[in-house]
């Protein structure tokens, strides 16, 4: 491919050499300098916008994780609240089996009020981990006993 020996007009040559932003030839117009400075400011603003957008995206991801945790907790609470009717029914059944005191004598009533039987205990404790928990409790008690005897 052959290059032409034609020369470019001076105004085109100046435009192509002034494309380097660091170089400031003496022939640049103030309007062109103002535009370059405007573009530099715009670039800085865009970089700041990019950084802020990344920060917002990170905060949104953190919020998403927190909402997922909240959702899981809400489901657990809904399950517990859904089971309350069963708990209340069990308490009612246990309370119904308690004999009511007889009103034969005022003195007898006062002594019976002090000894009114309570419903059966409704708490169930799983025993599969009982030996490990008992050993842990005993170790803690020994540690407290050793600490109190050392002082």
């Amino acid at each position: 491919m052959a290059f032409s020996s034609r020369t470019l007009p001076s105004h085109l040559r100046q435009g192509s050499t002034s494309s380097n932003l660091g170089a400031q030839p003496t022939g640049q117009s103030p309007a062109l300098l103002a535009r370059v400075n405007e573009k530099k400011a715009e670039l800085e603003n865009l970089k700041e916008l990019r950084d802020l957008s990344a920060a917002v995206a990170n905060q949104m991801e953190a919020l998403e994780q927190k909402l997922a945790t909240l959702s899981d907790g809400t489901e657990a609470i809904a399950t517990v609240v859904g089971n309350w009717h069963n708990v209340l029914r069990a308490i009612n059944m246990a309370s119904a089996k308690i004999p009511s005191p007889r009103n034969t004598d005022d003195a007898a009533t006062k002594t019976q009020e002090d000894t009114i039987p309570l419903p059966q205990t409704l708490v169930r404790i799983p025993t599969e981990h009982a030996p490990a928990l008992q050993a842990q409790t005993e170790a803690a008690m020994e540690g407290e006993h050793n600490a109190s005897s050392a002082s």
Side-chain angles (χ1 to χ4, degrees), residues 41-109:
E42 185 179 350
L43 177 64
E44 290 300 318
N45 288 338
L46 288 174
K47 285 180 181 179
E48 185 179 348
L49 180 63
R50 179 195 61 202
D51 294 342
L52 292 174
S53 296
V56 168
N58 289 338
Q59 289 176 353
M60 288 298 195
E61 288 173 0
L63 183 62
E64 176 189 13
Q65 292 172 352
K66 289 178 182 179
L67 286 175
T69 302
L70 184 63
S71 175
D72 293 342
T74 304
E75 290 173 5
I77 290 172
T79 302
V80 169
V81 170
N83 288 332
W84 269 111
H85 69 280
N86 292 332
V87 172
L88 294 175
R89 189 174 344 136
I91 291 171
N92 188 25
M93 287 173 27
S95 297
K97 293 183 180 181
I98 297 175
S100 60
R102 296 180 186 161
N103 292 333
T104 57
D105 192 296
D106 289 337
T109 305

Side-chain angles (χ1 to χ4, degrees), residues 11-26:
H11 70 279
L12 289 179
R13 266 186 284 142
Q14 184 181 10
S16 65
T17 58
S18 67
S19 65
N20 186 358
L21 295 177
Q24 293 186 4
T26 58

